[in-house]
Amino acid sequence: MNTGSNPDALLRGMFGAAVEAALPVAGMARVLPAHDGPILVLGAGKAAASMAAALEASLPDADLTGLVVTRYGHKVPTSRIDVVEASHPVPDAAGEAAAQRILDLAKGATVETLVVFLISGGASALLSLPAPGLTLADKQAVNVALLKSGAPISAMNGVRKHLSAIKGGQLAAAAFPARSVTLVISDVPGDDPSEIGSGPTVADPTTFADALATIERYNLNLPPCVIRQLSKTWPETPKPGDERLRESEVHIVASPQMALEAAAGFARDHGIEPVILGDAIEGEASEVAVEMARDALSRRPAKPLVLLSGGETTVTIRGESHGRGGRNSEFLLALGLALDGAPHIHAIACDTDGIDGSEDNAGAIIGPDFLARCRDRGVDPQASLQRNDAYGVFEALGDLVMTGPTLTNVNDFRAILILPD
């Protein structure tokens, strides 16, 4: 990095490299077994449509049919695999209808069929099919409560699996005895396939008791029918060793670590030393920000250095807050406050799907002048943090990062650039 380099452009370049590394590629078909018969493609997630298009491109002569569901605005052209759009993060009727169609197609698979499941982040909401006795409204209430609770994604998914007719391995079980292969773009810490999209094609190690414990721990006020469902002990979701999943295999085709390594390569190419803190960082976004600020302030590098990290933080909505902003924007707002105008630190925090929470920005970016610019514009960053309004701060400063849907999703990307004093 030379003295004329633009820190903001370098941070945006790292984010761009991370996203590019996570995009579906035609080569993902190489992990599929040799198969001369029909191939049924089923999937869900923010990257489901782009994965379907990549698979079509890599298998131009295959007997390929299927259906995938993706978030509104994430559709791409396909010729053999149908694509429908639905709501995320709160499910809607379109997602429920798509999930029922996908489950019915899986049940119709024969031993001559290879079933290819395409799963990426967002599948939990997009593949929403309530268990018997529950309604879509019940599932919507649960999702809203979970999103506000501050619970980690693993705990949320344990609840979702036990309120669903399709998650937690039930989709792959429905396709038995057909052979199935799941291709996954991971958006969860640790890349556990049973957690990605609530694991519709993977054995579920969690139980009804685990789900009920999450409800009680976070003191969630849910409809009585939901509590009755979670109070059951049977029938459980398919567990490891289930006979119906013996012909099912899983391959991770993109992950947060791949994205961080691509960003690290970009940094090295520009004379910046990368330090990858981890791809599975969890916790309250504002608290993680304080810890990372402390780390950044303790370093005095002789050459430019960047701290890279991924994972999925959480945001606990305070009271009846009506602020705007996702977890990446909230992280960056708290980071800017904790750095307190340190003259040599710049940072970016974005969601790799291009949508931070339910807003239209991927995230935001800050420099050493963050607090001074807030004062100049009459913005109170501390008060904004208290009402979960990070979006409003960065909108006022013109520091939102806007990419639109990237058509992939390996979750959070954070980069803190530390320049020599």
Side-chain angles (χ1 to χ4, degrees):
M1 174 177 175
N2 59 56
T3 55
S5 298
N6 183 330
D8 283 9
L10 290 166
L11 289 169
R12 290 173 185 270
M14 291 179 214
F15 176 54
V19 169
E20 185 174 357
L23 292 173
V25 294
M28 68 183 186
R30 288 195 294 267
V31 302
L32 298 181
H35 185 74
D36 294 329
I39 299 176
L40 174 64
V41 180
L42 304 173
K46 297 173 188 175
S50 56
M51 293 176 79
L55 198 63
E56 284 190 348
S58 62
L59 298 172
D61 301 318
D63 179 8
L64 204 66
T65 59
L67 169 68
V68 301
V69 56
T70 192
R71 181 176 181 169
Y72 290 121
H74 288 59
K75 188 174 183 178
V76 298
T78 54
S79 58
R80 289 169 286 168
I81 303 169
D82 291 338
V83 178
V84 298
E85 294 179 307
S87 176
H88 179 280
V90 178
D92 67 359
E96 181 182 27
Q100 185 64 65
R101 287 178 60 193
I102 287 171
L103 184 62
D104 290 343
L105 287 168
K107 289 178 178 178
T110 68
V111 292
E112 289 78 27
T113 305
L114 174 64
V115 184
V116 179
F117 297 109
L118 306 178
I119 303 297
S120 59
S124 288
L126 295 165
L127 206 60
S128 188
L129 188 62
L134 300 179
T135 67
L136 178 61
D138 297 327
K139 293 291 293 290
Q140 289 170 331
V142 170
N143 255 34
V144 170
L146 287 172
L147 290 169
K148 290 182 177 181
S149 71
I153 189 65
S154 57
M156 291 189 195
N157 285 345
V159 174
R160 289 163 172 162
K161 292 174 186 180
H162 288 87
L163 299 175
S164 173
I166 197 169
K167 297 182 175 70
Q170 296 179 84
L171 178 57
F176 180 79
R179 185 177 185 182
S180 67
V181 179
T182 301
L183 305 182
V184 179
I185 292 182
S186 171
D187 71 327
V188 303
D191 302 331
D192 182 351
S194 71
E195 296 293 349
I196 301 163
S198 296
T201 64
V202 182
D204 174 27
T206 71
T207 66
F208 279 110
D210 295 329
L212 192 60
T214 294
I215 299 301
E216 293 172 350
R217 177 180 178 183
Y218 291 94
N219 195 29
L220 302 184
N221 183 20
L222 299 176
C225 60
V226 172
I227 303 302
R228 286 195 298 271
Q229 171 69 13
L230 296 182
S231 299
K232 294 180 178 179
T233 58
W234 185 89
E236 262 289 0
T237 50
K239 297 292 178 266
D242 192 297
E243 174 69 12
R244 295 168 295 173
L245 303 183
R246 64 179 171 82
E247 294 296 329
S248 179
E249 58 185 81
V250 180
H251 298 276
I252 304 284
V253 297
S255 69
Q257 184 64 26
M258 294 178 189
L260 292 178
E261 289 174 356
F266 181 96
R268 290 190 195 95
D269 291 343
H270 290 79
I272 303 169
E273 179 185 354
V275 176
I276 297 179
L277 300 177
D279 68 341
I281 293 174
E282 297 181 281
E284 189 74 19
S286 56
E287 295 173 4
V288 173
V290 171
E291 293 178 10
M292 289 194 178
R294 187 179 299 118
D295 183 359
L297 290 168
S298 71
R299 298 178 186 255
R300 290 293 183 268
K303 59 177 288 186
L305 179 146
V306 64
L307 306 178
L308 300 170
S309 65
E312 183 170 5
T313 62
T314 54
V315 172
T316 302
I317 303 299
R318 302 172 184 88
E320 297 299 320
S321 169
H322 297 290
R324 300 175 64 191
R327 59 182 179 268
N328 288 283
S329 300
E330 177 141 331
F331 165 88
L332 204 65
L333 175 55
L335 183 75
L337 284 162
L339 290 174
D340 196 25
H344 54 292
I345 302 178
H346 303 252
I348 190 171
C350 293
D351 196 318
T352 52
D353 70 356
I355 307 295
D356 189 23
S358 57
E359 301 301 335
D360 57 358
N361 65 314
I365 195 165
I366 62 171
D369 60 350
F370 169 67
L371 293 179
R373 294 173 64 227
C374 284
R375 287 193 294 272
D376 290 345
R377 287 164 174 76
V379 173
D380 185 340
Q382 185 65 58
S384 296
L385 181 63
Q386 291 302 312
R387 61 175 182 270
N388 303 111
D389 190 30
Y391 187 100
V393 173
F394 293 114
E395 182 180 42
L397 299 181
D399 289 339
L400 293 170
V401 175
M402 311 289 283
T403 63
T406 63
L407 306 181
T408 190
N409 180 27
V410 291
N411 239 318
D412 300 343
F413 173 84
R414 295 174 292 269
I416 302 174
L417 176 63
I418 308 168
L419 305 179
D421 288 341

